[in-house]
Amino acid sequence: MVCGARADLIVTLGLNEGIWPAPPRFHSHLDAHARAALHRSGLDLPTVQTHVHHERDLYWWTQHAASYCISLYPQVVNGSPRVVSDLLVDAAIRPASPIEAPTPDPTTSAPSPSEFGESPFDLLDLQLSPTQMTRFGQCSFRWFAQYGLNLKDLEEPSSTLAPHVRGRLYHHTLDFVAKGLKDHPEASLDSLLTEGFAAAETHENLMRLPNWIWQRAEHLQHLLDLVQAPEFLPEGHVVHVSEQDFTVDWFGLTVKGTLDRLDQTADGFVVTDYKTGSDKPKGACGSDGQLSLDVQLPIYLSAASHLTTTQVTRGRYLSMTKRERRTLADANPDLAGLEALAASFVRSIETGHFPVAPDERQEACQYCSYGPLCRYSFDGGEEHDE
Ligand code: SF4
């Protein structure tokens, strides 16, 4: 903060005991007692006390330098409870007491009435997706940060293919192959793949990447291995639709998304969701406290049922990169868990309450960039394509 400056909004973070004020850094070898004694005898020497007073005054002036001020102090840091800094007790402007969450009634999935005033969200304005619902189920604060506040990682220029661009490249290529097979079942897989890949890399402007000419061979080989594998289009499967946008009513919520592929078989329809990872994607928190509640495939099944006007119950996650085991998981919806998740989402939207609540093992935190914001874990991981 520059003294004398004005601002529309000032946000002060980390006003906790042990964090603020930060320990003083004196550039001499005098200990605290010697400093205090010299200060008392009239020497203009900074001491621990003057440092604390200076920090408190700075906070006070900061609060007067803006029309709006937000002061935040986390209640939990790295999993340990923290108290508000003692210094705030004497401050002219003190942060409000934390709002305690209402205890949800476990006997009903209906949302409890708002106890937090007016919520900043309206369900009708939200564009929900399967990924959003999974994120919310992993930690509601993560959803709030990413979709409510629209906070995003800065995109760094990269010389290699970013995970999300790789996902789009693979999906566009496979879409080209699937649509080609739908129209011409006898078409050459190699030709379709080569043509689809060239179109997708042009669309993503990948020639700008240094050494792309060498990188592309590896990606092309991954996809060639995939389309030649028996799991890609198993015997008896006929492509019905590929990369099909949908809007579906899911436990009263309007969810939009894209079906990677829907096949027709003699036993009914089968949903395929492509994954660039080599493991089943992490779900939302289930009743066991782990990320075990699959959200995406059940939503795709609902969308497929809506599209075909039949009950679609079969679906799978198909790895685009793991040769040894292509099918990562089959659909097995936990309807009670999903209904509870949808109800919990509605409750959060209506109350505006999004607590920091990851799964018991904090696996969600490993793939979340909001650790420095939620202060639950400072070791927040990288976002990656799931
Ligand atoms: S780091 Fe963990 S606790 Fe914090 S927002 Fe992300 S998932 Fe939630």
Side-chain angles (χ1 to χ4, degrees):
M1 182 76 195
V2 179
C3 288
R6 295 280 312 163
D8 293 332
L9 170 69
I10 288 179
V11 182
T12 38
L13 305 171
L15 302 176
N16 288 84
E17 203 56 48
I19 299 176
W20 178 74
R25 288 192 190 157
F26 300 132
H27 301 292
S28 84
H29 298 297
L30 294 174
D31 66 21
H33 295 292
R35 279 182 169 277
L38 288 168
H39 184 78
R40 273 198 304 277
S41 67
L43 259 184
D44 185 15
L45 201 62
T47 65
V48 173
Q49 256 188 334
T50 60
H51 170 72
V52 168
H53 288 160
H54 177 261
E55 290 293 307
R56 188 194 56 199
D57 293 347
L58 199 58
Y59 174 74
W60 193 89
W61 284 109
T62 302
Q63 301 297 293
H64 285 81
S67 317
Y68 296 96
C69 302
I70 300 174
S71 296
L72 298 172
Y73 53 96
Q75 292 175 275
V76 176
V77 175
N78 282 342
S80 308
R82 288 289 183 122
V83 294
V84 62
S85 172
D86 255 359
L87 220 52
L88 287 184
V89 173
D90 293 333
I93 301 170
R94 273 184 263 164
S97 302
I99 300 169
E100 295 301 334
T103 310
D105 181 352
T107 60
T108 171
S109 58
S112 54
S114 170
E115 296 182 23
F116 297 93
E118 201 175 324
S119 168
F121 300 110
D122 187 334
L123 263 180
L124 295 176
D125 295 338
L126 295 175
Q127 295 264 329
L128 301 177
S129 67
T131 305
Q132 279 197 48
M133 296 314 300
T134 306
R135 293 272 194 272
F136 175 82
Q138 291 176 338
C139 172
S140 59
F141 186 82
R142 184 181 183 184
W143 182 93
F144 174 66
Q146 184 169 357
Y147 301 102
L149 299 179
N150 205 19
L151 300 177
K152 294 192 173 72
D153 273 339
L154 279 179
E155 276 208 30
E156 304 270 348
S158 168
S159 60
T160 55
L161 204 55
H164 65 282
V165 182
R166 180 172 75 143
R168 284 202 306 258
L169 172 74
Y170 283 24
H171 276 80
H172 286 160
T173 306
L174 294 177
D175 178 40
F176 190 92
V177 174
K179 287 194 170 114
L181 288 175
K182 178 174 157 61
D183 296 339
H184 307 285
E186 302 307 321
S188 151
L189 279 173
D190 283 18
S191 311
L192 283 176
L193 188 78
T194 312
E195 204 181 330
F197 191 85
E201 71 180 335
T202 304
H203 185 258
E204 295 293 338
N205 189 23
L206 296 181
M207 301 310 280
R208 72 193 148 78
L209 293 175
N211 300 325
W212 173 244
I213 196 78
W214 307 116
Q215 292 182 49
R216 77 186 297 277
E218 187 189 336
H219 295 293
L220 198 51
Q221 189 61 50
H222 270 312
L223 291 168
L224 193 58
D225 289 344
L226 171 63
V227 297
Q228 289 178 340
E231 296 96 328
F232 178 66
L233 192 65
E235 185 105 19
H237 281 230
V238 175
V239 176
H240 184 64
V241 290
S242 170
E243 295 295 318
Q244 175 71 48
D245 292 341
F246 67 81
T247 302
V248 69
D249 183 324
W250 189 72
F251 294 111
L253 299 170
T254 303
V255 179
K256 294 185 177 197
T258 305
L259 269 181
D260 284 352
R261 211 178 80 203
L262 182 63
D263 296 345
Q264 197 160 16
T265 74
D267 299 325
F269 291 95
V270 181
V271 169
T272 295
D273 191 49
Y274 303 126
K275 290 292 170 204
T276 48
S278 54
D279 290 313
K280 178 187 170 187
K282 302 284 180 205
C285 278
S287 53
D288 55 359
Q290 317 295 329
L291 301 182
S292 56
L293 181 66
D294 184 22
V295 179
Q296 293 190 34
L297 265 184
I299 293 180
Y300 295 140
L301 293 184
S302 299
S305 302
H306 182 70
L307 272 174
T308 60
T309 62
T310 60
Q311 187 71 19
V312 180
T313 56
R314 290 192 296 153
R316 60 185 181 146
Y317 291 116
L318 191 70
S319 174
M320 297 188 279
T321 53
K322 191 170 189 178
R323 285 192 198 137
E324 310 77 48
R325 191 168 62 90
R326 294 283 180 194
T327 304
L328 301 174
D330 291 313
N332 186 19
D334 169 359
L335 293 179
L338 294 168
E339 187 173 12
L341 172 68
S344 165
F345 181 77
V346 172
R347 192 161 49 234
S348 279
I349 292 297
E350 289 185 346
T351 58
H353 184 58
F354 299 90
V356 174
D359 56 296
E360 283 173 10
R361 290 191 197 142
Q362 298 175 28
E363 277 190 90
C365 306
Q366 293 171 23
Y367 310 112
C368 173
S369 311
Y370 302 104
L373 184 68
C374 74
R375 308 295 177 95
Y376 192 82
S377 161
F378 284 113
D379 307 323
E382 300 276 315
E383 285 276 354
H384 75 164
D385 185 52
E386 287 170 33

